Amino acid sequence: MAAPPLIFLLLAAATPAPDTRPIMVTGHAWAPFISPMGEPFRAHTQTEDTLAAWFRKADRNGDGVLTQDEMLADADRFFATLDTDHNGQIDPDELARYEYDIAPDVQVNSRKRPGPGDPPPKPNRTREADHGDRQRREQARRDEDELGLGGKLQGAARYGLLNLPEPVAAADADFDRAITLQEFREAAVLRFGLLDTRHTGRITLDQLEAIRSAALASDRRVKRDSDAPDARLGSPVPHEN
């Protein structure tokens, strides 16, 4: 009669302990795509189209067009991810988790990451005169960034379709430092309207690719110093080894 307790002990010893390690966000040295509602989509290869990855996820019926209802469903899904305590709103702590852990790319003063296939930065020039000129240019650019000058895209605007440096916080319509599901859904409707440039209620991937290409072309017109320090606030996106 001693066998059954022994079996239970053996089974307990064979059962793995639950994994209590914290979930880590994996980043890449290249740029993500940040969806209209603020969700980052990161490439795992140099040819992966992250905009298309988001579109396929949002296009729930797979018919090749995005509707307002699908945009709302996409917003609901991401809101549920951010609302970790399930109280129906994104509070300051949850917003900080988004900005520092999920999508640190949205931080306004962060340096833009190169995209897949972009050429490596040019080697640093070492002459003292060039170094001094570079320092002065860098300081002038930092001053412009801090003041919001120079027409440069900031934060998530550099990686998305809309000029929204922080898409989640921008949904806080009443500025009470809490984003409700209703506010998030209202923001989704407004953003769908901005992306629906043909006013048909149906958005194709080709339309979004054209918007994205125009945004990237506009941002690339601003000359950036390739060896500028990363002025990111908080935890930077980790680089792959």
Side-chain angles (χ1 to χ4, degrees):
M1 297 299 292
L6 179 59
I7 292 174
F8 292 140
L9 288 173
L10 292 173
L11 288 174
T15 303
D19 188 351
T20 58
R21 294 174 297 176
I23 297 174
M24 302 300 292
V25 176
T26 302
H28 299 277
W30 57 76
F33 168 72
I34 295 185
S35 79
M37 299 312 298
E39 184 175 10
F41 285 76
R42 305 188 187 279
H44 298 285
T45 69
Q46 291 200 356
T47 58
E48 184 176 351
D49 186 342
T50 46
L51 168 55
W54 167 73
F55 186 89
R56 288 191 296 268
K57 193 169 188 176
D59 178 20
R60 296 169 70 87
N61 61 4
D63 64 353
V65 296
L66 189 65
T67 64
Q68 181 176 291
D69 286 345
E70 287 173 326
M71 184 85 162
L72 284 168
D74 187 65
D76 290 348
R77 176 189 57 78
F78 189 46
F79 184 93
T81 299
L82 298 177
D83 180 20
T84 55
D85 60 7
H86 310 295
N87 69 344
Q89 66 179 22
I90 301 167
D91 61 31
D93 287 341
E94 290 165 334
L95 186 62
R97 173 177 172 268
Y98 166 70
E99 294 175 349
Y100 286 89
D101 296 332
I102 296 175
D105 322 79
V106 306
Q107 295 177 32
V108 172
N109 288 335
S110 63
R111 181 185 176 192
K112 185 177 180 183
R113 302 290 176 179
D118 284 356
K122 296 179 181 179
N124 295 342
R125 299 175 66 179
T126 57
R127 285 184 289 185
E128 291 182 5
D130 288 345
H131 179 69
D133 289 342
R134 187 167 61 246
Q135 283 186 321
R136 286 189 289 273
R137 289 195 303 270
E138 177 59 30
Q139 184 59 52
R141 183 168 61 248
R142 282 198 297 266
D143 292 343
E144 285 184 353
D145 286 346
E146 290 173 3
L147 295 172
L149 303 176
K152 301 174 185 178
L153 296 177
Q154 300 269 354
R158 299 168 298 174
Y159 309 113
L161 299 166
L162 300 171
N163 192 3
L164 293 170
E166 213 291 29
V168 175
D172 183 10
D174 58 9
F175 304 105
D176 67 349
R177 302 181 72 243
I179 301 110
T180 65
L181 177 58
Q182 182 61 31
E183 286 178 317
F184 211 62
R185 288 173 62 86
E186 288 172 357
V189 171
L190 290 172
R191 295 171 194 182
F192 180 88
L194 292 172
L195 296 172
D196 182 17
T197 54
R198 299 175 184 173
H199 309 292
T200 62
R202 296 161 61 86
I203 301 174
T204 66
L205 179 58
D206 287 343
Q207 287 176 259
L208 299 183
E209 293 281 10
I211 293 172
R212 179 68 176 138
S213 296
L216 289 174
S218 174
D219 197 32
R220 284 170 182 160
R221 293 192 190 104
V222 180
K223 185 177 180 181
R224 299 177 186 276
D225 198 343
S226 62
D227 63 347
D230 188 350
R232 184 180 309 276
L233 300 175
S235 302
V237 177
H239 288 247
E240 284 190 328
N241 296 323

